[in-house]
Amino acid sequence: MRRKDLALALLVVGIWGLNFTVIKLGLGGMPPMLLVSLRFTFTVLPAIFFVKRPRLPWIYVLAYGMTAGAGQYTADIYALKLGMPAGLASVILQSQLFFTLILAAAFLKEGIRKREVAGMFLGVLGLILMGLPGNLGPIPLPALLLMILAAIFWAASNIVVRKGSQLLAQRGEKGDGLSLVVYGSLFALPLFYLGALVIEGPEALGAALLNLTPGYLYSVIHLAAFGTLFGFAAWNKLLSRYPAGKVASISLLVPGTGLLGGWLVMGEVLSLLQVLGIGLILAGLVLAHFGLPGRGTGSWVRKPVLKDKENTEEIIKEEA
């Protein structure tokens, strides 16, 4: 990965790690579906008046909106609402790497290495450890399952972006990550408001809006501007240039800032079993990305010919 692309990826994962703390703060003053509805409202407006529509067929834009938008963030925000600590959420959501590797091998024919399978095994053990009865402490099991579901939706959106990028490459065109985020969010927005009306009710929504403080409003704008518009536009740009598994693995750095933010801002403290579970997940992520020193990285699925001429030589060097 080029240095400037790596720097961009590091900036994105740093922002995303702190997002969980910002969401927790926002949930202190408004219902979950209202928070996510306002977040995506500010993602769409006013950007949609200045950003051109994606060059992709609308089915790709709709699929992205349903996965990276409606699916991921509904599961994510209700997991946090049900008691998932912000720092721990940043760790569990990174299981999207494992799901991305599986989906990329199935739908994109991208290589899945033995080290990645071993890493997935460790990650699953870590999730099981945290999910055993009595091991979650104050964390409800539904919150854990919802966060895993959010990771699956994120992985699915990675495949949508990568598949769309390959389609554009065949046409000799380049995708625009920002346009996909804005117009994909437009498709998701009606579902958020409908969900807010049905789940929260008009009275609760009205009361929350009347009592919306500048601090809570900032949390919404922060999530829209940095977490969604900038974060996913940059992420989609990286997915258009590199294999889905390689980009997804960069997110293993998210838990560092997520746990730090949860500790500094929210005062979150983890139990010993939770720490052990996190350790297994992080060990699995590191193994999947870097492998063991001096060991080979044999692939169980033949890799396709890379179509991104701008980065082909560099990617081949890294894989060698």
Side-chain angles (χ1 to χ4, degrees):
M1 186 175 287
R2 292 182 171 184
R3 290 182 180 179
K4 65 177 183 180
D5 289 336
L6 180 59
L8 180 63
L10 294 177
L11 177 59
V12 170
V13 298
I15 291 173
W16 280 350
L18 295 176
N19 269 357
F20 297 96
T21 300
V22 177
I23 291 173
K24 273 284 194 179
L25 294 173
L27 288 173
M30 66 186 83
M33 289 305 294
L34 177 60
L35 174 59
V36 75
S37 297
L38 292 177
R39 172 180 184 167
F40 277 82
T41 297
F42 283 105
T43 298
V44 173
L45 299 174
I48 199 167
F49 297 111
F50 306 99
V51 177
K52 295 181 179 179
R53 71 175 184 83
R55 297 186 181 93
L56 289 168
W58 284 111
I59 187 63
Y60 285 85
V61 185
L62 175 62
Y64 183 78
M66 295 300 100
T67 52
Q72 178 184 340
Y73 284 101
T74 299
D76 187 336
I77 203 163
Y78 271 102
L80 292 168
K81 181 65 174 181
L82 289 176
M84 175 64 65
L88 186 56
S90 69
V91 176
I92 297 174
L93 191 59
Q94 300 325 303
S95 61
Q96 62 87 18
L97 167 59
F98 307 134
F99 297 119
T100 298
L101 290 171
I102 294 172
L103 293 176
F107 294 100
L108 303 176
K109 304 304 179 185
E110 291 184 356
I112 179 168
R113 302 171 181 82
K114 295 178 182 179
R115 73 186 191 198
E116 293 167 344
V117 174
M120 283 187 273
F121 178 74
L122 287 179
V124 170
L125 285 181
L127 292 173
I128 292 174
L129 178 61
M130 289 189 294
L132 289 175
N135 285 0
L136 288 179
I139 306 172
L141 181 59
L144 175 63
L145 296 178
L146 281 172
M147 192 57 66
I148 295 174
L149 182 61
I152 294 174
F153 277 118
W154 186 2
S157 73
N158 288 338
I159 304 306
V160 172
V161 174
R162 185 64 181 163
K163 193 76 173 179
S165 299
Q166 291 179 346
L167 176 63
L168 291 176
Q170 292 173 359
R171 300 177 182 172
E173 300 177 352
K174 290 185 178 181
D176 182 356
L178 180 60
S179 67
L180 186 59
V181 171
V182 173
Y183 283 84
S185 299
L186 180 63
F187 280 110
L189 196 55
L191 294 179
F192 287 133
Y193 276 106
L194 179 61
L197 287 172
V198 173
I199 298 173
E200 314 293 355
E203 293 184 2
L205 294 177
L209 288 172
L210 290 175
N211 293 285
L212 194 62
T213 65
Y216 294 135
L217 183 59
Y218 170 77
S219 68
V220 171
I221 296 175
H222 176 97
L223 292 170
F226 298 105
T228 306
L229 279 174
F230 173 76
F232 275 99
W235 191 255
N236 294 343
K237 179 180 180 180
L238 294 171
L239 282 169
S240 70
R241 294 184 171 184
Y242 303 97
K246 179 176 287 293
V247 177
S249 63
I250 299 296
S251 66
L252 65 88
L253 298 173
V254 169
T257 53
L259 291 170
L260 182 61
W263 174 59
L264 291 175
V265 180
M266 309 299 295
E268 295 175 351
V269 179
L270 302 176
S271 69
L272 177 60
L273 287 174
Q274 290 166 353
V275 171
L276 291 176
I278 290 172
L280 282 174
I281 293 174
L282 294 180
L285 291 169
V286 172
L287 177 61
H289 186 59
F290 297 107
L292 295 174
R295 295 299 182 96
T297 59
S299 174
W300 290 350
V301 177
R302 182 173 60 85
K303 294 183 180 180
V305 177
L306 296 172
K307 298 180 180 180
D308 189 342
K309 295 181 180 179
E310 181 180 359
N311 297 282
T312 298
E313 181 179 351
E314 183 174 355
I315 293 172
I316 292 175
K317 288 181 180 179
E318 289 181 332
E319 296 294 341

